[in-house]
Amino acid sequence: MTYCAGLLVQDGLVMIADTRTNAGLDDISTFRKLHVFSWPGERSFALATAGNLSVTQSVVSLLHEGLLNPETGELDTLQSVGSMFRAAQLVGRAVRTVREMDGPALAEAGLKFDISLLFGGQVMGQPMRLFMVYGAGNFIECGMDAPFLQIGEHKYGKPILDRAVTFKTHLYDALKVGLISMDSTMRSNLGVGLPIDLIVMRRNAEEPELNRRIEAGEPYFHDLRERWSAALRAAHQAIPRPPYGPSGG
């Protein structure tokens, strides 16, 4: 399984992804699912991937190489497109291209063409944006009313994002809540696990502000997990018991 989250707040963008892939309890591996495409001073993008590993790796490789434009005969790349919207369209084209190449063989083997992506960033001088790209290559955009998107095993981490993140949340508070969301998912699903990759992009900055991997035993993340567990225990203990038993007890 996989869990990836993107949080687009007033000050910038946070992207978080786990790294665990597995084909069974005795076959667990680590692969990077969060990728950076950056040309400092010009544009910076982050791409988080969920789904079939061979499919996601093929899409990422295509985006690095570029896709042939049938009208111009030239390569369209993430560096050459004129806007975030055009960049998201290029990601969708890469997904459809891989589907055309590998989809029939996967279907013949009884496997699904399984992929979903989070794609966010900024072309300098234009708005910062965040998209979710589906397996058909179509996409939706993150909005101010719900300033986050998730892919993979998202249900365990969604409640904290719903309650704690707004568009005006401080950028590093968004990172903190995103890590709590990841911890909640890891505690409920063994298919999601450390290390965790994260990227922080501040609006109108020339390059990503933070690109970091959290390994097992990292002090801050360990402390965050312990503090969050203690806070939850204290919260439920402080709430009165329901008055629904015999004689209200």
Side-chain angles (χ1 to χ4, degrees):
M1 290 299 296
T2 293
Y3 178 53
C4 307
L7 297 83
L8 183 62
V9 295
Q10 185 169 260
D11 293 330
L13 173 69
V14 173
M15 300 272 280
I16 301 174
D18 85 308
T19 57
R20 178 167 293 182
T21 64
N22 64 282
L25 294 176
D26 59 349
D27 185 11
I28 297 175
S29 302
T30 296
F31 286 91
R32 187 173 182 91
K33 304 172 190 175
L34 184 57
H35 308 271
V36 180
F37 301 80
S38 183
W39 295 268
E42 181 184 344
R43 62 190 62 199
S44 293
F45 307 130
L47 180 75
T49 65
N52 183 292
L53 185 61
S54 67
V55 172
T56 61
Q57 288 184 340
S58 293
V59 169
V60 172
S61 295
L62 265 181
L63 290 172
H64 279 292
E65 293 182 2
L67 286 87
L68 185 67
N69 187 317
E71 297 180 359
T72 66
E74 298 180 352
L75 284 178
D76 289 334
T77 68
L78 289 175
Q79 187 177 13
S80 68
V81 294
S83 67
M84 273 298 300
F85 178 76
R86 294 298 185 189
Q89 285 186 317
L90 186 65
V91 174
R93 278 180 56 198
V95 171
R96 288 192 294 272
T97 299
V98 175
R99 176 185 284 273
E100 291 171 3
M101 293 189 302
D102 297 344
L106 288 171
E108 187 175 339
L111 301 173
K112 292 175 59 179
F113 184 87
D114 180 24
I115 184 173
S116 56
L117 307 165
L118 295 180
F119 179 66
Q122 185 175 22
V123 176
M124 292 302 292
Q126 300 181 25
M128 179 172 275
R129 302 171 76 174
L130 173 63
F131 301 91
M132 181 190 296
V133 185
Y134 298 101
N138 57 322
F139 53 85
I140 62 171
E141 184 171 3
C142 183
M144 292 176 61
D145 291 336
F148 64 87
L149 292 171
Q150 304 165 278
I151 55 175
E153 188 60 88
H154 62 270
K155 58 182 177 291
Y156 303 109
K158 189 173 186 295
I160 178 61
L161 298 181
D162 283 331
R163 288 182 167 89
V165 178
T166 71
F167 184 69
K168 293 185 178 181
T169 298
H170 186 280
L171 185 59
Y172 281 85
D173 283 336
L175 173 58
K176 177 176 65 177
V177 176
L179 290 174
I180 293 172
S181 174
M182 178 65 74
D183 173 58
S184 299
T185 304
M186 290 168 53
R187 286 181 178 272
S188 299
N189 190 316
L190 294 177
V192 177
L194 292 161
I196 298 166
D197 291 320
L198 62 92
I199 293 170
V200 176
M201 295 182 180
R202 193 173 293 274
R203 285 184 192 270
N204 303 318
E206 294 196 352
E207 58 185 321
E209 186 167 294
L210 181 64
N211 185 356
R212 182 183 179 91
R213 170 164 288 191
I214 296 176
E215 301 279 1
E218 199 270 347
Y220 174 78
F221 188 64
H222 176 77
D223 183 60
L224 176 143
R225 302 185 78 177
E226 295 299 315
R227 286 174 180 265
W228 180 243
S229 294
L232 287 176
R233 288 192 296 269
H236 88 74
Q237 290 169 1
I239 297 172
R241 292 175 179 169
Y244 305 139
S247 302

